[in-house]
Each structure stands twice: as structure tokens, then as C-alpha cells.
Amino acid sequence: MITAEDVLDLPVGARVATQARLPLPVGSTTSVSVVIPAKNVAAYVGETLASALAQGEVTEVIVVDDGSTDNTIAIVRAIRDPRLRLMTNDSAGVSAARNLGARHASGEWLLFLDADDRLRPGAVAALLAAARGAPRAVLVYGDYNTIDSEGRQVGRRDLLKGRRKPSGDVLTRLAAGNFIVNGGIALARAEAFRAIGGFDTSLRYCEDWHCWCRLAAIGEFEFAPKLLLDYRLHTANTMNAAVRTPQDFFPAIARVFDDGLILARLPEGTAARLRQAAEIHLVTYSAMQAVRFGRYRQAFIYLGMVGRRSLKSLPRSALRVVLACFGI
């Protein structure tokens, strides 16, 4: 596996062309640590933990409490399972919580599960099966469906059966927009995650996208075409359009396209085009979230932002927003 340091030590002209990625040990597809950052999620954390502990392939579940003031800690402590560990993070933020859990994880694969989501039965087994067929992969991912605050299915992403997402060298596609969306659908090799430095704690939003891009700069990804996660949409979500705007996400775009590791692996001359595509992707995402929560005026405003950036992109963005109305 090429590390972050390996790429940056190459001559500039050779960086993009490097493909010398060696197969990783097949035997390392057996040990999985689930890291769950948690803050005031007493309403959901029990269900989330049950879904993680029900995965027979999971060797440990690390909950990192980030300063909860409700019953979150009590609920975690009441669960008797030798694989479950509880740590505290003193309100340092979700990225710091994930990094802390990852530092103490013993698994050779890491899965970052939000404390209000739930893994579907067989999710980890499906990801490990895909990993065994992709020995060069540093990240294996699937897909998700959406549920509401009561756990009822609201998404209809099952209608997208047969849809393929990128595998192999995905950096260029990923820099144009985060197609992974939720860390609960992905296994990352712990070795690779630590090599790129984990999540950037300076970012408040889209820190996962930046992390995935850095991973894609040092290794391949593999897609498992299955719905693996129930992603809960409710008004407390940090990326909920009810409280966030596209401008909140733009610092992450600046970070991605100012990252030497990522830029070293992008094809020459593509950064400006990919940056615009990333802006359009995040503005479109904001519009999709807005319509999911009935904020139609904001959705139209965000589509106007897309049009000002690229009229050619507007029809596709509008179609995605319409599909979001139907939970797709």
C-alpha cells in the first residue's frame, strides 16, 4: 500500500501516474472495530448498539461519549457484552471522538457508525465478502436507506437495485462529490486510516468526505451493491437543511482542494473543474435535504445557486431534488 508520505515524496511529475499498490493481506479481513461517537442520543443509542453487536463479524464496539448530559452513558453501561467499550471525549467534537476511538481500536478494519443510525443484518459480512475479493482496497462501502425519527422507512432507495458506484481508483470521482455520504456503510483499513491522519478536527462538516478523499489518494475502493444501513433523518441531524446552508459546507471544499496529498493524485489540470463539481454537488445535496423537510423555498434558492455556477448542471440537480421528494 502506498502511504501518504510515499506519495508526497515522489517527484511531482510522477505522482499522478503512480499505481504501485500492492495487495494487502487477505487474512486481515476478519477483525472489525465499530466506532460510535455519541452525544445526547439516549433515544437512539440502544437501538444502534443492538444493530452493531448483532453483527457476528464485529470484534469490538467502541462508544466515545462526547459530553452527553442525558442518559446516553447509562444506557451504554447497562448493555452487557464483552465487545463493548465506553470512552469519554470531553466535548471535543465528532471528529476527535472518532479519531480517539480509532486510536484505541484493535480491529484491522474500522466502521464509523453514527449513534442514531442502525446497521442492517449481515451488513458487516457483506462488506468483508467484498473486501476479500478486492485485496488492494483500503475502503469497502455499500449503500443505505433512510428512516425517520421513529425508525420507519422513508427512503425508497431499494428502487435503485443494480446501480453501481465506483470501485478501484476513485479519487477523481470522489473529489467531485461525496458518493459515500455516511461512514456507517464503509469499512476502512485501520492501517490506511492512521496513515492519512484520520479525520481533520478543524472541519465542522464534510470531514468524512475529506477523509475518504485522502484514503482514495493512497489506495483503491470497492463497492458492495447492497443496502447496509438505515440512515436516520430527523431535525437533530448535523447536516439537516433545517439548520445548515451550503455555505457551511464550503470550508470542506477549500480543505480538499488545498490538500497536497489529494492534489498530488488528481490528474493535472482537473482541480478547478472538480472543485466546481464539488460545489454543485453540495448545493444540490442541500436542496435535496431541504425538500425532505418541507423547506421548498430554500430548495429553489439552492437550485438557483447551482444555475449560477453551471446552467448545464441545473437539469440533473433538479432531477435529483425531485427524486428526493420520493425518498430516492
Side-chain angles (χ1 to χ4, degrees), residues 81-101:
D81 190 303
R83 295 173 293 167
L84 180 60
R85 299 168 59 189
L86 176 64
M87 307 180 70
T88 57
N89 191 47
D90 299 327
S91 299
V94 65
S95 290
R98 289 173 179 148
N99 289 342
L100 176 63

Side-chain angles (χ1 to χ4, degrees), residues 274-285:
L274 292 171
R275 181 171 185 153
Q276 182 187 57
E279 290 182 358
I280 291 170
H281 175 89
L282 278 171
V283 175
T284 302
Y285 175 81

